[in-house]
Amino acid sequence: VDDSIPEDFYISFTIHLLSTELGGHDVRIGFSMPRGYPEEQPIRVTVNCAGEVSRFKHEAINVGGREVAHELIGQEAVLQVLQRVQDILLKKSRESIGKSSGQINGSISSACSILYIKRVLIWFHHIKSLQKRKSILEWGKELNLGGYCKPGFPGIIIVEGEKCDVDIYVKQLQNLRWQAMSVRGEEQEEVQCQKAIDDARHFLK
């Protein structure tokens, strides 16, 4: 009798977080255990948010879960991944509530508010993870940012764009797990219109 495990064998299941909502709907987390889990392979994680959640935010939640999964190769990871995703969802939910509460006042003043272009220099102990490097580039493109990324030891990111977009970008990076991350420098300039932001850029997008 051949009792070996087939190469394509895996176990998968989905957990519905009925008490955790984002965008007005509950969240589902899919787990797949590949043949080499947990000794050699990480558990595969897919977070599905049925509500009105931006692709940027959706990807950030998935990256957070996958980062934990990769860090825990060699041990059971389901509960720790689940806890990490729930922590991120709770934080995102609180951010959404805060934004909606200020939306009325903000919409009145935004039409006449002055724009700023902002640049930040961020230092990391290291940037090695391919998943993190992919997110660094994709999030920058989605937020229309320009800049430069140096992977390795230490890791350096220099990024510029409209102030609110740069602030969102930095916050998303802070949501990931880093050994050390620090904003070492920042500057901003007042501009009169969106075109002036593009004219004031020092880095390619």
Side-chain angles (χ1 to χ4, degrees), residues 29-89:
I29 307 177
F31 292 93
S32 293
M33 298 178 178
R35 184 173 181 269
Y37 172 81
E39 290 83 4
E40 300 173 354
Q41 295 290 328
I43 193 166
R44 296 168 187 169
V45 185
T46 303
V47 182
N48 291 306
C49 305
E52 296 181 0
V53 179
S54 68
R55 189 169 73 88
F56 178 73
K57 185 179 293 186
H58 201 170
E59 177 64 17
I61 297 168
N62 273 280
V63 168
R66 290 167 189 163
E67 282 293 326
V68 177
H70 279 273
E71 291 173 4
L72 295 175
I73 293 176
Q75 55 185 299
E76 292 292 341
V78 175
L79 292 180
Q80 294 187 62
V81 170
L82 183 61
Q83 183 61 57
R84 175 61 176 164
V85 171
Q86 286 181 306
D87 290 344
I88 296 174
L89 289 169

Side-chain angles (χ1 to χ4, degrees), residues 175-191:
N175 282 336
L176 302 179
R177 294 163 67 96
W178 303 98
Q179 184 167 333
M181 169 186 172
S182 174
V183 176
R184 294 293 178 89
E186 60 180 77
E187 65 178 18
Q188 63 183 36
E189 301 174 23
E190 180 181 318
V191 295

